[in-house]
Amino acid sequence: MGMLKDLGRRQLLARAASGIATLSLGGCERLSTTPWFVNLLDSAEKVTQLTQHAATGQDALAREYSEADLSPIFKSNGTQYPSDAHYQALAETGFADWHLEVGGLVERPMQFSLAELRAFPSRTQITRHDCVEGWSCIGKWKGVPVTTVLDSVRPMPDARYVMFYCADPMEESWDGSDSRYYESIDVEGAYHPQTILAYEMNDQVLQMPYGAPLRLRDERQLGYKMAKYIMRIELVDSFATIRGGHGGYWEDQGYEWYAGI
Amino acid sequence: MADDHQIFRHRLWVRLTHGINVVCMTVLLMSGLQIFNAHPALYWGDRSRFDRRILSIGAAQDAQGRPMGVTSIGTREFDTTGLLGVSGDPVEGTIRAFPAWMTLPGAQWLSMGRRWHFFFAWIFVVNAATYGIMTIVSRHLWRDLLPSGSGLRQIGGSLWNHLRLRFPRGEEAKHYNVLQKLAYLVVLLALGPVMILAGLAMSPRLDASYPFLLDIFGGRQSARTVHFIVAFSLLGFTVIHITMVVLSGVWNNLRSMVTGWYDLGNKHGNA
């Protein structure tokens, strides 16, 4: 009797175990498309952001490397040659007619030519670029600190985010919707000394695969935050109503806005 | 239930943290492989030297033009079709590093893999911290885990007993044996902490404030490689752990990790 009871219990346990295994594997797949669960997973991003900000100073500098550490081949991800006709026309004349527009919540909206940006005091840094895919490359960047540009346009007190609108369409669009790359960083990150608008890479004019004529460097976040082919900068108090509402092209596709890890 | 041949082996907090850890480790491994699949290659140092890969998993075409999985370790190449590089449908084959059944989610979906990974990384860390504090506060560490001098001298005998699949019964089974203690300590004091540190070293923000994270591993790409190797070391531990659980009395062991009660097997052969 005891044996039988035991056997029955064992079978029951075995069935329960295999049931749980099947349910949990199939369940995990379903959970990835279940809104409340994805929201729960998303909560980790905020926890990570708050913890990292609490554990790190605002102005700690990312490690800067030497010339000997430069990557012989710097991988170019995302857009390599923007298909946009207006952009192509600008590129043909070496971006002589290109202007960076800076507006939004600023006291003095301005436009800067490449020559004007180059006339500002520059910062040069050899830093590591960490892609969300997992690889790292080291490059040398020269550009104007975002701080310098912001000081010229004077952000209003309610400006919280700096939006970067880019030239490169990410998808074919049949309905005329805007698929051009865009990104955003918070104002705190924008004032970091290593956050620069780079126009030179490895002592050369910034080449097209790397974001010519101007790209962002934000050395404490992952690569996708560092918008290439920047056309316009806008200061905003919220990006909830901009495009997909998540603050960037990849963010609208499900990547974290806070890309500190 | 509590006959005199049964002992109360695992306290509630041990059982709870163990259960939560099982879920976390499973999700972290599977979502980690999903993340690895986004760039299935490992490097040493600060940067990725694309011409010097320690390990890479890719695909090529065989003589008949069918996709073939190729795993390279250093300069040596292995045909791993069916598991690594190319898996899934036996005729068509899906080109992906780790197969769908090993990753979370199953499809190639980096952003969702990251969301699973970082959410469960937090649960893992909170759970591990709870376990760590309780292990010290309750003296679990000294009472049950740290081997004594005489225990250490029994390593040879314990090893011989394990190889012959003879497991302690009765009085001896009241405590972890010395090999068991050492295996748990390696996981708790070495693999676990190294895993967490290597994960943190991949954060560019933390690297800026705590450059020692880069220095202890020799660079961010080294940290990523260490994170990968330790993941498989933990998987190896788990395989051995589960094997031992099965061989030394699967129902008895499972019951003790669910209810706490462990049968010493000195009354009848139930264990």
Side-chain angles (χ1 to χ4, degrees):
Chain A
M1 187 62 203
M3 270 297 277
L4 260 179
K5 200 179 122 204
D6 215 33
L7 201 69
R9 203 174 62 201
R10 283 177 196 196
Q11 269 180 352
L12 200 70
L13 270 172
R15 271 190 211 152
S18 84
I20 288 168
T22 318
L23 268 179
S24 55
L25 285 177
C28 283
E29 289 302 310
R30 264 198 308 281
L31 285 173
S32 296
T33 52
T34 306
W36 69 263
F37 187 78
V38 175
N39 284 340
L40 180 67
L41 292 184
D42 285 0
S43 62
E45 179 188 345
K46 207 77 204 154
V47 177
T48 303
Q49 185 185 353
L50 292 173
T51 313
Q52 285 205 354
H53 276 74
T56 60
Q58 270 192 22
D59 291 323
L61 294 183
R63 174 164 290 181
E64 297 195 10
Y65 297 84
S66 73
E67 302 262 348
D69 299 314
L70 289 174
S71 288
I73 305 164
F74 198 108
K75 203 167 148 77
S76 159
N77 239 29
T79 307
Q80 320 254 326
Y81 298 96
S83 59
D84 182 72
H86 176 58
Y87 174 85
Q88 289 292 343
L90 289 170
E92 263 171 43
T93 55
F95 300 101
D97 300 320
W98 172 92
H99 282 89
L100 175 70
E101 273 183 59
V102 187
L105 297 175
V106 298
E107 286 172 19
R108 204 163 57 128
M110 286 176 80
Q111 282 203 347
F112 302 91
S113 70
L114 213 43
E116 283 167 334
L117 290 175
R118 285 175 165 277
F120 282 121
S122 68
R123 188 178 204 282
T124 302
Q125 57 204 33
I126 300 178
T127 50
R128 199 186 66 231
H129 178 98
D130 299 328
C131 179
V132 67
E133 293 172 348
W135 50 268
S136 306
C137 285
I138 294 177
K140 181 177 182 180
W141 307 95
K142 182 181 175 187
V144 52
V146 173
T147 306
T148 308
V149 174
L150 293 183
D151 286 346
S152 307
V153 297
R154 294 200 294 263
M156 294 178 184
D158 50 348
R160 289 187 60 200
Y161 302 102
V162 185
M163 311 293 301
F164 300 88
Y165 299 99
C166 308
D168 52 325
M170 298 298 286
E171 293 146 40
E172 289 289 343
S173 159
W174 284 277
D175 56 358
S177 65
D178 191 357
S179 79
R180 283 176 297 175
Y181 203 89
Y182 78 108
E183 256 304 341
S184 60
I185 60 174
D186 56 18
V187 168
E188 183 235 281
Y191 281 114
H192 186 267
Q194 283 171 323
T195 304
I196 63 171
L197 293 166
Y199 44 71
E200 267 183 36
M201 174 189 181
N202 294 347
D203 299 317
Q204 284 190 319
V205 169
L206 190 62
Q207 299 295 300
M208 209 179 276
Y210 303 103
L214 195 72
R215 76 164 303 164
L216 179 67
R217 297 299 311 167
D218 178 2
E219 307 295 356
R220 296 183 302 168
Q221 294 206 67
L222 298 178
Y224 65 87
K225 296 300 286 185
M226 299 183 231
K228 307 195 279 190
Y229 320 108
I230 300 172
M231 304 295 284
R232 186 163 67 89
I233 291 176
E234 183 187 22
L235 281 89
V236 298
D237 58 352
S238 158
F239 46 71
T241 58
I242 296 170
R243 296 273 292 274
H246 296 96
Y249 174 79
W250 287 114
E251 287 84 336
D252 289 338
Q253 316 286 319
Y255 285 84
E256 295 91 350
W257 180 80
Y258 179 68
I261 186 158
Chain B
M1 200 62 185
D3 303 341
D4 58 350
H5 62 283
Q6 290 201 340
I7 55 162
F8 189 68
R9 169 168 259 199
H10 300 301
R11 276 159 294 178
L12 182 63
W13 67 267
V14 171
R15 278 142 49 210
L16 276 177
T17 50
H18 183 267
I20 293 169
N21 197 47
V22 169
V23 175
C24 289
M25 296 293 272
T26 308
V27 169
L28 285 167
L29 176 67
M30 293 179 72
S31 57
L33 296 180
Q34 164 73 239
I35 295 169
F36 175 84
N37 271 6
H39 186 77
L42 296 175
Y43 312 89
W44 200 257
D46 259 310
R47 59 188 161 93
S48 304
R49 293 153 75 133
F50 300 115
D51 55 343
R52 278 194 217 172
R53 298 169 180 229
I54 292 173
L55 171 107
S56 73
I57 303 175
Q61 283 197 337
D62 67 7
Q64 283 81 43
R66 287 176 307 209
M68 181 178 108
V70 180
T71 300
S72 310
I73 299 173
T75 53
R76 298 185 61 184
E77 292 194 344
F78 303 91
D79 180 349
T80 50
T81 311
L83 183 66
L84 304 177
V86 174
S87 52
D89 187 283
V91 183
E92 293 280 316
T94 305
I95 295 177
R96 49 181 293 147
F98 283 100
W101 60 268
M102 285 177 83
T103 67
L104 180 65
Q108 196 60 51
W109 190 359
L110 173 60
S111 64
M112 188 53 70
R114 282 169 56 83
R115 295 208 179 268
W116 279 94
H117 202 73
F118 296 130
F119 181 83
F120 280 90
W122 273 114
I123 298 185
F124 168 78
V125 164
V126 171
N127 190 54
T130 309
Y131 177 87
I133 292 166
M134 289 303 289
T135 293
I136 291 165
V137 170
S138 73
R139 301 193 53 79
H140 181 48
L141 179 62
W142 293 274
R143 209 170 40 203
D144 304 317
L145 291 170
L146 286 176
S148 61
S150 66
L152 285 172
R153 281 189 291 278
Q154 290 160 12
I155 286 182
S158 182
L159 190 62
W160 179 232
N161 281 331
H162 274 82
L163 289 173
R164 290 181 300 161
L165 302 180
R166 291 171 73 118
F167 298 101
R169 293 276 182 272
E171 193 59 29
E172 267 183 65
K174 282 185 176 172
H175 313 286
Y176 294 150
N177 62 69
V178 62
L179 282 188
Q180 206 176 359
K181 288 182 177 180
L182 290 176
Y184 295 164
L185 287 174
V186 166
V187 169
L188 295 176
L189 303 179
L191 296 181
V194 170
M195 194 69 185
I196 293 171
L197 286 171
L200 295 177
M202 281 186 269
S203 157
R205 173 101 187 191
L206 292 180
D207 287 347
S209 290
Y210 305 98
F212 80 87
L213 285 170
L214 292 171
D215 297 329
I216 54 176
F217 294 107
R220 180 179 190 258
Q221 288 301 315
S222 307
R224 182 167 174 264
T225 299
V226 169
H227 199 69
F228 183 90
I229 292 171
V230 176
F232 278 89
S233 307
L234 286 168
L235 180 63
F237 162 81
T238 308
V239 169
I240 295 172
H241 180 61
I242 293 173
T243 306
M244 289 299 144
V245 164
V246 170
L247 292 177
S248 66
V250 62
W251 299 112
N252 193 25
N253 283 316
L254 283 182
R255 182 187 50 230
S256 74
M257 210 20 116
V258 174
T259 68
W261 290 99
Y262 183 84
D263 195 310
L264 293 172
N266 49 0
K267 279 284 164 72
H268 56 74
N270 189 35

